[in-house]
Amino acid sequence: ELENLTSTRLDLENQPSHTSNAAPSNASPRGTFQALFKPVLKLETGIALGLFLFILHLPGELVLDGNEVPAAKRCLAMLVCVSILWATEAIPVYVTSLLIPLLTVSTGALLPPSKKCDAGDQACFASQYTPYPAITAAKEICGQFFEPTVLLFMAGFSIGAALEKYKISQIIASVLLRPFGNKPENVLLGIMLLGMFLSMWISNIPASVLCVSLSQAIVHQLPSGDPYAKALLLGIAFSNNIGGMTTPIASPQNVIAFGWCEQAGAGVSFGAWLGFTLPLCLALCLATWALLRARYPPLTRAVRLDLAREQGQLSPAQVVILVSTSATVLAWSFWKPLGLEELCGSMGIAGLVPVAVFFGL
């Protein structure tokens, strides 16, 4: 299916363009209006907005500890609205995400941080349940967009995108898979270890796509009904999921947990995280490989991997990306021993270095 889609896209791209000779469009204003506001006119969007307004204008307020909390009802209305929009995808999910700060500020749904109040101090209790004014709420929310955790996200995504754009991940795959030979069991282990390694640094999706593209040639060699094809594809899925636990930047949930540990005063360094998860993930990967090997034994004795030929000299851009990525990972891994916390303050700030370098290429 991927090959058919690719060939169809290339055929469309190679067709001569007739836009210059096309007659001007006679679209009616009504048709233009419908095209522009098609997402807004969807039934799901109407339901989400209707429930939002209905909950927002319900009489009375929710009560907590004997105090009315106006922000609670506003937050509930916003939660219902964005949940419907996310679930139905009536508008793109990222647009829904951008609506949350807007709705939070405009409805007054943001409360100040909780604090300990003395018994009977009604003014203190009331201040806890009084929403921020719009100006203060906007400053608070905009400040969250550049938290160190978000910058760590940006650094991880930028590293993954650079490795993909400049084909460095393919070079790594070619180098790592060559020592595994052509025995089906060894090839399965090699592809699983490759998927786990790539998922440590880039998103699971491009890592899985690369592993599947390498395994397609193997699947075509197999006789009909060979269970080894199942082992190969399941191994790719499992190993990429396992690799997503290995580093703090491997998955969004890892970055969030990493940031919350820091805020809770129980921070974990990049190297400590890697030292704990790497042996665990390697053991899980080997155990999964053993189970797949036993459950889906291959019928063939040898397979041929379609690897890219050895690349000659690396381009300057590839060298810069490899050096920047390696230096960043080493800095994260030995954050405290190198005394980088006093220099940069947080790993997110240090992660801006490769981002700046990559955007300069």
Side-chain angles (χ1 to χ4, degrees):
E1 292 179 357
L2 288 173
E3 292 174 355
N4 292 335
L5 288 173
T6 305
S7 61
T8 304
R9 181 174 62 84
L10 291 175
D11 292 341
L12 291 174
E13 290 177 352
N14 292 330
Q15 289 180 358
S17 174
H18 300 287
T19 54
S20 59
N21 299 328
S25 174
N26 293 322
S28 64
R30 180 180 178 183
T32 304
F33 176 84
Q34 290 178 344
L36 289 173
F37 294 95
K38 185 177 179 181
V40 182
L41 298 175
K42 287 184 177 180
L43 176 63
E44 297 89 344
T45 309
I47 293 174
L49 293 177
L51 288 174
F52 173 75
L53 295 174
F54 174 75
I55 297 173
L56 201 61
H57 291 89
L58 282 174
E61 301 290 352
L62 297 176
V63 178
L64 179 65
D65 296 333
N67 296 282
E68 290 188 349
V69 188
K73 187 172 66 175
R74 301 165 191 174
C75 186
L76 176 62
M78 184 173 60
L79 175 64
V80 171
C81 177
V82 299
S83 297
I84 293 173
L85 293 177
W86 269 331
T88 60
E89 296 188 18
I91 59 177
V93 291
Y94 55 86
V95 176
T96 303
S97 301
L98 293 175
L99 285 177
I100 295 176
L102 173 63
L103 294 176
T104 302
V105 174
S106 60
T107 60
L110 186 63
L111 292 176
S114 60
K115 57 183 178 180
K116 188 176 181 180
C117 297
D118 297 330
D121 191 350
Q122 295 299 325
C124 180
F125 283 111
S127 66
Q128 284 191 348
Y129 302 120
T130 302
Y132 275 135
I135 295 177
T136 307
K139 291 180 179 178
E140 288 288 330
I141 289 180
C142 290
Q144 299 295 321
F145 278 95
F146 279 92
E147 268 199 336
T149 302
V150 177
L151 298 180
L152 200 59
F153 265 119
M154 189 187 301
F157 291 150
S158 299
I159 288 173
L163 294 177
E164 283 295 304
K165 179 179 178 180
Y166 288 90
K167 311 297 182 185
I168 297 176
S169 57
Q170 295 182 10
I171 299 173
I172 294 173
S174 178
V175 171
L176 292 182
L177 285 178
R178 287 187 187 280
F180 287 91
N182 58 5
K183 289 187 65 176
E185 297 88 351
N186 295 347
V187 171
L188 173 62
L189 177 61
I191 288 183
M192 289 181 66
L193 291 175
L194 172 66
M196 177 185 142
F197 177 78
L198 292 177
S199 295
M200 293 168 61
W201 313 109
I202 65 177
S203 171
N204 290 5
I205 296 175
S208 300
V209 169
L210 176 60
C211 293
V212 169
S213 65
L214 291 173
S215 63
Q216 278 181 342
I218 301 174
V219 173
H220 292 322
Q221 301 171 32
L222 301 176
S224 178
D226 194 332
Y228 181 69
K230 294 181 180 179
L232 203 58
L233 297 176
L234 288 174
I236 292 172
F238 295 151
S239 62
N240 279 273
N241 283 331
I242 292 171
M245 301 186 293
T246 314
T247 62
I249 63 170
S251 301
Q253 58 268 25
N254 294 7
V255 180
I256 294 172
F258 192 75
W260 274 105
C261 287
E262 190 71 29
Q263 291 183 20
V268 181
S269 67
F270 194 97
W273 182 299
L274 192 62
F276 175 77
T277 57
L278 188 57
L280 174 64
C281 291
L282 280 173
L284 286 174
C285 193
L286 292 173
T288 305
W289 168 71
L291 287 173
L292 291 174
R293 179 183 175 186
R295 179 65 179 83
Y296 302 108
L299 300 181
T300 184
R301 296 195 174 189
V303 294
R304 181 175 54 85
L305 269 174
D306 186 17
L307 296 176
R309 295 185 178 274
E310 292 288 349
Q311 179 167 329
Q313 189 175 2
L314 293 174
S315 67
Q318 290 174 329
V319 172
V320 169
I321 291 170
L322 284 173
V323 172
S324 301
T325 302
S326 302
T328 303
V329 171
L330 287 174
W332 285 340
S333 301
F334 301 98
W335 185 251
K336 290 188 177 179
L338 293 176
L340 295 176
E341 191 168 9
E342 290 76 12
L343 178 64
C344 299
S346 72
M347 293 186 188
I349 296 296
L352 290 176
V353 175
V355 174
V357 171
F358 297 158
F359 275 96
L361 293 176

